[in-house]
Amino acid sequence: MSKIESAASSASSVPAVFSKDLLLRDGAMLRLRFLREGDRQGLKELIARCSTESIRFRFLHAIKTLSEGMFDQLMNVDGARHVALVVTMGEGGEERIVAVGRYHGLKSRVEVAEASFLVEDAMQRRGIGTLLLDALAEVARRNGITRFAADVLADNRVMLSVFRKAGYALSSSTSYGLTHLEFSIAETELAQSRKEAQEAEAERASLRPVLAPQSIAVIGASRNAKSVGGALFQNLIRWRFSGTVYPVNPTARSVAGVRACATVAEIPETPELAFIAVPSAAVLDAARQCAAAGVRAICVITAGFAEIGGEGVDAQRELLSICRASGMRLVGPNCLGIVNGTDEVRMLGTFAPASPPPGNISISSQSGALGLALMNEVGKLGLGMSAFVSIGNRADVSGNDLLQYWESDDNTDVILLYVESFGNPRRFARIARRVGRSKPIVAVKSGRTETGARAASSHTAALASSDAAAGALFSQTGIIRVDTLSEFFAVTRLLASQPIPEGNRVGILTNAGGPAILAVDAAEAAGLTAPSLSEETQARLRAILPATASPNNPVDMIASAGPEHYRACLEILCDEPGIDAILVIFIPPLVTPSAEVARVIGEVIAQRADHPRPILAVFLDPDANLKSIPAGARTIPVYDFPENAITALGAAARYGKWRATPLGQPIPIELDRDAIDAVLEANAGTRWLSQRDVARLLRAAGIEILEPTFARSAEEAAAIAERLGVPLAFKIAEPPILHKSDVGGVLVNVSPAEGAAAWRRLESQLAAHEIRLEAAMLMPMARPGVEVFAGVTHDPVFGPLVAFGSGGVFVELFNDVTFRVLPMTDRDAAEMIQETKASRLLRGFRGAPPADVPAIERLLLSLGALADAVPRIAEIDLNPVLVHPNGEGISMIDARIRLQE
C-alpha cells in the first residue's frame, strides 16, 4: 500500500515532492514527507513530548532544552546535501510530527552523509526508525550519496538494533561509550528481503479488520430488504457472522429485529469494520463519523466518485484524506463488498444475491458485476471460496495489498484476479513474483483486444501495447494469464483440487479414439506432450485389454470397456514413471452409466492418496452433469470437452515450470552519470537525439556503437570513402528520416572508389520521394551475423518496456517480439530471447554456428538499466543488431533515441 509520489527534474535530482504512506507492523498508518519551513513549531512539540533519555540518545548528551540555534540546525536543509524527513499523524490542522530523520552530507567525504533519528517515546518499537532509514537512503542514493555514517550511544540498544537489522553491511567501532557506524546504502538483497517482509507484515495487520473483523457496522442499513443497505445487512445476518453486527439508521428503531443506532457514535462498542451504503452526498459525513469513533476500516459500497470524473474525483480524494488522517483502511468506493467464507468469520458483506460455498479460493475483482458472476459460478462448478473482495475504484486497498494478505492466509490456496488496470505495476510485479512461489495466481485482464497502437514513430513503439506490457508483467511474475472466463474457471478447478504437475507429459486413458486425438492435438498446442508409455506399462495393459485396443499413449480401451477396465488401466497408469499427469476421457456407451465410471475413478485415486500427479477427467455426457468426482481427500475436476481440460493442464504445467526454476537475479549495470547528465542538459524538450548523442548515451550504459562519419557533398563522401578504405554503408543523416529504407535512404557495400557515385545515387533515390539530401552517414560494413532488434518504449501505465525480437526491415511484419517491464533480472533477459523465433537462429540454424547470446542478454539488461535511470527516455530503437558467433559480440547497425519532457 505504501506509495511514493515524486517529481524529479532530472535523472539524478532529489524529488521535488516526496510523500509516502507508511504502514507500521501493527497496521497503523502514518505519513512521511520532507521537512517544511513551517514545521519548526511541530518539531518543538515533538521534542517536548520526548523523554530526557530519548533526547540524550538523539543529541549524544543530556539537554534540558534546545536553543533556537539548535532548532535552526535541525531546520537546515538544502535539498541534496542536507535532507530531513518527518513522520506525521493526522492531516491539516490536526497533523502531528511523531518522528524526524535526517542526513547531513560530510564536507570531507562527498559520498558519505551522517544520519540521525528521533522518534517520540509513545511511537517507538513500531518500526518507524527502520522505515525512516529506508526513505532517507532512497533520497540519498538519488543525490549521489553512497554511504551513511552514524554515532550512537552504546546504551541506545533500540537504534543500534535498527541499523543492524536493516540489511546493510555495517562496520562499527566503539570508544568511550559511543559506537560509530558506517555502511553502504546500496540496495542489497538482504535489505530488500527485510523491507518486503516488513511491508507484508504491516499490510496483513492493517487488512485484518477488513477481512476478519470482530464487529461490523452497516451505515445505511434499511428495513427494505431490497435496498443496498438492507440486503447487505440481511446477508450478514443470514450467513451468521461470527461477530456482532450493528445497523446504523437515523430513522428506524430496529432493522431485521436488531436495535438500530442513529449514528456510529451511539454504537456500544467501536466496530472494526463499517460498510457504508448511503447516498454519495452523505458518504463523507459517514466516513468522518467512523474516523471519530476509531473504526479501523470502511467499505464504501456507494458509487458516484472517481468513476464519474469531475466532482467525483474531488470527493474520492477527500474520502481518502479522511481515511489517511485517521488510519482507516478503505475498500472501494463503488464496490460490491467483502466476503469471508471461512467458519471462523462467516461474513457475507455484499448486497448481491450470492451464497458461495466455503473453500480455498480467494478472489479480487475490479468489477462488481463480474465479481457477482464469479461468486455464483464458484458454487456451480463445485468450487469453494475463502474470500472475495470487490475493490471498486481501489482508492486505497488494491489487489497488491490483498495478495500480501492472502500470501500467509492458511485458508487460501489459489488466488484469482480480475484486472482492468494497474495502479502500481512495479509493486505488483515484486509482490506477485514472491507470492506466486507458494500459491498460484490466475488472472484475467480485460482490454486484450485493444490495439494500443500509438502513432508509432519507431519499430519498438509500433510493436508495443499496454496488453503486451500486461503480458510481460504476468510472464515475469509467474501469473497464469487466461483470456476468457471459461479458461479462468477451467484452470482454477485444476489448481484448487490437484497438485501442480512436475512436468509437461500427460497420459491419456479413453474409451473412444476421436476425443483422445483431439486431446493430443490440444496438448501439443498447450506445450504438453503425450509420450509413449514404458514397455512394462504397455505389457501390463495388453494383458487386460482386448486385442483391438491400443496400449500406447493414448490408451484406447475401445467402446466396450466398462468400469472395471477403467479401474485396472487407471491403476497401471498411476504406476507409469514417464508421465506427469493423467487425463481420463469417457463417452457413455449404451450399457455403461457415467456414474459407475466416475465412482471407479474416485475409488482408485482415493486409495492412492500419496499420488503426486494431477488427475483430470472428461465426461462427454451432458445428462450426467458431472463437475467433479470425490476421491477421498482429493476432488477430481470433470470437464465437458478435452480441450478445456488440456488448457487447464497446460497452464498448470507452465506455472509449475516457472515455480521450479530459480528466480533471476538483478545484474548491476554501471552507468556514467556525468555523460548521461551532459546529454540531457544539451537536449531539452522532446526530440530525437543526434547520432553523436545517441552514441554518448548508449556508451554511458556500456553499449558500444560506432559513430558514423558525416559527409555533406559528393566530394566529401569520396574523400571519406577513400580514407576509410573499406566497404561502407551510406545512410541519410539530414533531413532526419526515421525509416530510411522506405525512401531509398540506405546504400550498402559501397567500395572505397565509389564514394562520389554513391552520394549521387543516394541523392537521386531520395529525390524520387521529394527529399533533398543534405548530409549522409558513412559507416564501415559490419561483419555478418543474425539480425535482431532491441529497444525501449515508454508505456504510460507500466513505464519503460524493454523489447527484443527478430530484426531487419521485416520486424513489424513478422511481429516476432517480446517485452519485459522493469526491473529486469538475468532470467528475464534469457527468457526474452528464448520466447522468440529468433532464438532458433541464435542457437545455430542449418549448420550455422551458435551466436553470442550472452552479449544480447547483456545488451537487454543494459537497456533496462539505462531506461530505469533516465525517465526522459521515450524510445530506444536498435535495429538491426548483428549477433556474431559465440564470443565475438554484437554490432550496432542503426540506433535511435527519443527523449520526452
Side-chain angles (χ1 to χ4, degrees), residues 294-457:
V295 173
R296 296 286 302 279
I298 62 174
C299 175
V300 178
I301 305 295
T302 309
F305 289 86
E307 78 279 2
I308 66 171
E311 294 180 357
V313 175
D314 296 333
Q316 183 166 306
R317 188 178 295 116
E318 176 64 18
L319 175 63
L320 182 60
S321 178
I322 293 168
C323 294
R324 289 282 187 266
S326 61
M328 291 189 301
R329 296 307 305 263
L330 165 64
V331 177
N334 182 32
C335 71
L336 189 68
I338 308 166
V339 178
N340 186 326
T342 63
D343 292 336
E344 297 82 7
V345 180
R346 300 292 300 166
M347 175 178 63
L348 187 60
T350 175
F351 60 91
S355 190
N360 60 348
I361 299 170
S362 288
I363 304 174
S364 166
S365 176
Q366 285 182 232
S367 165
L370 186 62
L372 173 59
L374 295 178
M375 282 195 289
N376 288 330
E377 195 68 14
V378 162
K380 292 179 183 177
L381 295 175
L383 300 170
M385 201 171 68
S386 171
F388 167 83
V389 181
S390 167
I391 55 179
N393 293 358
R394 68 175 197 281
D396 174 23
V397 173
S398 68
N400 294 349
D401 307 326
L402 294 169
L403 282 177
Q404 299 206 89
Y405 184 88
W406 289 327
E407 178 183 15
S408 63
D409 178 26
D410 293 337
N411 295 303
T412 299
D413 293 328
V414 181
I415 300 171
L416 306 187
L417 304 177
Y418 171 72
V419 182
E420 293 177 348
S421 61
F422 292 91
N424 189 335
R426 285 200 179 193
R427 184 166 178 259
F428 177 84
R430 174 171 51 81
I431 294 170
R433 183 183 283 116
R434 186 187 72 239
V435 175
R437 304 301 284 187
S438 58
K439 296 182 179 181
I441 304 169
V442 185
V444 60
K445 166 74 170 64
S446 64
R448 187 177 181 90
T449 59
E450 177 184 331
T451 63
R454 305 171 176 88
S457 51

Side-chain angles (χ1 to χ4, degrees), residues 75 88 505:
M75 295 296 298
T88 67
R505 303 167 300 175

Side-chain angles (χ1 to χ4, degrees), residues 460-674:
T460 314
L463 291 163
S465 69
S466 287
D467 188 69
L473 183 68
F474 292 146
S475 177
Q476 286 172 261
T477 55
I479 290 177
I480 303 169
R481 179 177 185 171
V482 296
D483 299 334
T484 66
L485 292 181
S486 175
E487 288 182 42
F488 199 44
F489 283 107
V491 174
T492 300
R493 293 169 65 199
L494 174 62
L495 296 173
S497 62
Q498 299 294 310
I500 304 299
E502 296 180 357
N504 67 341
R505 303 167 300 175
V506 57
I508 301 172
L509 178 64
T510 181
N511 67 340
I517 295 171
L518 292 175
V520 172
D521 291 342
E524 183 175 346
L528 302 172
T529 64
S532 296
L533 302 177
S534 66
E535 288 298 329
E536 179 183 354
T537 297
Q538 291 191 47
R540 292 176 62 190
L541 290 169
R542 287 192 192 95
I544 61 173
L545 290 174
T548 53
S550 171
N552 206 339
N553 195 12
V555 178
D556 184 358
M557 301 178 294
I558 69 174
S560 60
E564 293 310 311
H565 288 94
Y566 271 92
R567 182 192 302 276
C569 291
L570 182 56
E571 287 178 343
I572 293 171
L573 278 183
C574 284
D575 294 331
E576 166 60 42
I579 56 177
D580 303 297
I582 298 174
L583 173 64
V584 181
I585 301 174
F586 175 70
I587 296 181
L590 293 175
V591 295
T592 306
S594 296
E596 287 298 308
V597 174
R599 177 183 59 80
V600 165
I601 294 172
E603 289 174 355
V604 171
I605 302 306
Q607 293 168 2
R608 293 172 175 262
D610 58 344
H611 190 263
R613 292 174 287 192
I615 310 292
L616 304 82
V618 173
F619 276 63
L620 293 162
D621 181 4
D623 295 332
N625 196 29
L626 272 173
K627 299 300 180 184
S628 61
I629 299 172
R634 292 165 68 173
T635 299
I636 301 170
V638 178
Y639 297 86
D640 294 331
F641 301 103
E643 294 86 348
N644 294 351
I646 289 297
T647 294
L649 186 59
R654 289 191 295 275
Y655 167 70
K657 180 181 178 181
W658 175 87
R659 192 167 73 171
T661 304
L663 286 174
Q665 298 298 321
I667 304 299
I669 303 295
E670 187 173 344
L671 301 175
D672 185 342
R673 300 306 305 235
D674 292 337

